[in-house]
Amino acid sequence: MTGITLTLATCCTSSAEAEIFHRQTIPDFRAVSIAYDALVCGIWVANESNEVVLLSTFGKEIRRFDSGMRSVRSLTVEEDSILVASGWGEFRRFDRDGRALDAPFRLSETLYDTEGLHRDADGSFLVVEDDPSRLLRIAADGTVLMELYGDSFDPPMTEPQGVTRDPYSGNVLVVDDNEGLNSLFELAPDGRVLSVTPLSEYGFDAEGVALQPETGTLYVGFDSGQALAIFDWIPTEITIDTPLERGPDCAYS
């Protein structure tokens, strides 16, 4: 669909920096896309096979299901479903038991190479692609609301692979893989770069990212490194006018 595209300039990183504190790493586990689900107190994971896996917040497998798709490249959580993307423009919804809720469809005519996907609270989607490198906000009807090119960032974000947003700070988190900086970018809602945190100390080829916002628990999946790392995360700054107070952890952690 055709929509208004906003290309926003970005500026240099802030003098303050976000903080991450490593908790643990789950080895021998491929996670190219990750999404936190408070309803089941777990983490949905895509590993670029046809399967989707649900882990507890401590990394224990709860269930898995076959998507029936060629592969699942990215996924996100909606109120009543899990939305998965093949990476070639095809999307499909499933319930939390793995039952398909619809036939494959196109979310937007502009989306093909969907490397990362996050449904925001207002029903719009944050999407990252790496060819070209860009971060988009897509309305539920497919209209492009925002378009940011990673090459314009300082430093450049050349291979974005995963995206999520912290509703308490307002900040968007994007991981750039090993062909880029193998780092976590923290962005203000307008695309301003707040911090860039190197991740090579913890793993190789960062591709998935998710946040349990109530606790500030950050999950990063490393593709070639075959690992899932878990951190405590503190944002650089609050970038929304009315920040929320962090709630309690979900009941089943």
Side-chain angles (χ1 to χ4, degrees):
M1 296 183 181
T2 302
I4 299 173
T5 302
L6 303 177
T7 304
L8 303 178
T10 61
C11 65
C12 300
T13 57
S14 163
S15 57
E17 294 290 334
E19 295 182 88
I20 64 171
F21 304 93
H22 182 241
R23 283 193 197 174
Q24 69 177 104
T25 294
I26 301 168
D28 304 317
F29 188 84
R30 190 181 186 208
V32 301
S33 185
I34 321 169
Y36 170 66
D37 187 348
L39 189 62
V40 295
C41 200
I43 308 295
W44 293 99
V45 179
N47 59 14
E48 221 165 10
S49 73
N50 58 335
E51 289 189 322
V52 174
V53 181
L54 175 63
L55 303 179
S56 75
T57 54
F58 292 114
K60 180 181 178 181
E61 183 172 327
I62 299 172
R63 72 175 68 101
R64 65 176 61 211
F65 66 84
D66 187 332
S67 70
M69 302 171 74
R70 213 173 10 162
S71 70
V72 178
R73 186 68 190 83
S74 57
L75 50 74
T76 190
V77 172
E78 300 184 299
E79 290 181 1
D80 300 317
S81 63
I82 309 302
L83 178 65
V84 307
S86 68
W88 292 280
E90 185 179 80
F91 292 77
R92 198 171 192 185
R93 289 184 169 94
F94 297 84
D95 69 16
R96 286 171 169 80
D97 291 318
R99 291 184 290 264
L101 299 177
D102 52 21
F105 65 95
R106 295 293 304 273
L107 182 65
S108 170
E109 293 302 318
T110 69
L111 296 181
Y112 290 93
D113 181 26
T114 307
E115 299 289 346
L117 180 66
H118 173 77
R119 182 187 184 274
D120 220 342
D122 64 358
S124 66
F125 297 93
L126 291 169
V127 178
V128 289
E129 300 182 336
D130 64 0
D131 188 20
S133 167
R134 59 181 184 163
L135 166 66
L136 302 104
R137 185 177 289 279
I138 307 288
D141 66 0
T143 302
V144 177
L145 303 174
M146 180 186 75
E147 184 176 29
L148 305 174
Y149 284 89
D151 290 340
S152 71
F153 291 3
D154 183 12
M157 183 177 70
T158 58
E159 291 289 329
Q161 297 292 307
V163 61
T164 192
R165 194 177 80 87
D166 176 14
Y168 296 102
S169 69
N171 302 342
V172 178
L173 302 178
V174 181
V175 286
D176 195 33
D177 77 6
N178 202 63
E179 295 178 60
L181 296 179
N182 200 44
S183 294
L184 175 72
F185 279 73
E186 180 194 20
L187 309 173
D190 64 357
R192 179 167 49 101
V193 178
L194 300 174
S195 68
V196 179
T197 303
L199 296 170
S200 295
E201 177 182 352
Y202 312 106
F204 179 75
D205 198 25
E207 292 208 353
V209 63
L211 183 71
Q212 184 180 16
E214 298 85 1
T215 61
T217 304
L218 179 72
Y219 300 84
V220 176
F222 296 94
D223 184 8
S224 298
Q226 301 283 300
L228 177 65
I230 305 175
F231 305 89
D232 292 318
W233 178 77
I234 301 173
T236 296
E237 62 182 75
I238 306 299
T239 56
I240 50 179
D241 293 334
T242 309
L244 301 174
E245 292 186 6
R246 295 195 184 274
D249 196 354
C250 52
Y252 304 109
S253 295

